[in-house]
Amino acid sequence: MITIVQTLRLWFAPQRIGEEGETPDYRFSLANERTFLAWIRTSLALVGGGFAVDQFLPDLRWGVRVALALALLAAGVLCALRAVNHWVRCERAMRRGEDLPVSRFPTLLSLAVAVVAVVMVVVVVFGWAG
Amino acid sequence: MPPPVPARDPGLQPERTRLAWRRTTLSCTVAAVLAAKQALHQGSSPLALVAVTLSGLVWLGFLAVAHRRIQTLSGGARPRVLGVRAALAAAGCTVALACFAVATLF
């Protein structure tokens, strides 16, 4: 709980990052920024996938379609929030000269995407066969 | 004697970051177009018009954030670090589009 509050304070009081440690090489900050943008693109793609499931698979049963769309959209939202969080934490670690934070989020996200993909394949194959 | 600051980064880091912003803007455009299509799909009720306007505003917001950042990155060989506010705005646009999708699902 305390860590959540601290993280939120870090998000909304950016000058606090600048007070800590030393400014890292600007190239590292730019690399961190590009990683952040790559995650935002992933997030946008997931959100776009959510829209696409709803629009381009109208033959699916309502429940399946909404569940798939919701799973993709939820993954998109989590991905965007986590992108900001990871970017702030990396920036802080670089200023402090610590190791970069590790995360199990990529694994969880790829597992979630794999599950959605398998469900889609099953639904499309058996839905259209039956 | 310290080495002189080069006029341009030999690794083209600012350029690469600028292009990353452009790619992200394109992704945002695709998502916003899908959002508008979704809204129009429901018919041209006042609610759908509001929805299209909102997704357009979200897209414009993202465009503004990206444009400002691209301007900063074009400024010189040592651009300033991305601000937390810009990062939050970019993520916020994504979350807004997702919330918008959830609202139109039902």
Side-chain angles (χ1 to χ4, degrees), chain A residues 11 26 33-34 43 54-55, chain B residues 9 21 34 38 69 84:
Chain A
W11 282 23
Y26 75 104
E33 182 178 340
R34 288 196 297 275
S43 171
D54 198 39
Q55 285 178 27
Chain B
D9 182 288
W21 273 102
L34 280 173
Q38 174 100 344
R69 187 61 191 151
V84 174

Side-chain angles (χ1 to χ4, degrees), chain A residues 2-111:
Chain A
I2 294 167
T3 49
I4 296 176
V5 173
Q6 278 177 343
T7 311
L8 281 178
R9 272 167 71 183
L10 204 59
W11 282 23
F12 290 105
Q15 65 276 15
R16 292 170 71 91
I17 302 179
E19 288 165 5
E20 290 186 52
E22 295 175 3
T23 307
D25 189 331
Y26 75 104
R27 286 172 297 183
F28 299 163
S29 292
L30 289 182
N32 193 19
E33 182 178 340
R34 288 196 297 275
T35 311
F36 164 72
L37 287 174
W39 278 111
I40 289 290
R41 281 197 298 279
T42 309
S43 171
L44 282 167
L46 287 166
V47 172
F51 277 119
V53 164
D54 198 39
Q55 285 178 27
F56 299 119
L57 296 175
D59 298 337
L60 286 188
R61 244 184 306 147
W62 184 82
V64 179
R65 205 180 44 177
V66 166
L68 279 177
L70 277 182
L72 285 171
L73 291 169
V77 169
L78 271 183
C79 198
L81 295 178
R82 187 263 180 190
V84 179
N85 189 35
H86 194 74
W87 172 75
V88 166
R89 284 174 62 202
C90 284
E91 204 68 29
R92 192 176 50 178
M94 287 195 292
R95 295 197 76 96
R96 289 180 179 169
E98 294 170 354
D99 287 345
L100 290 183
V102 291
S103 164
R104 62 174 76 88
F105 183 83
T107 315
L108 292 178
L109 181 67
S110 31
L111 286 178

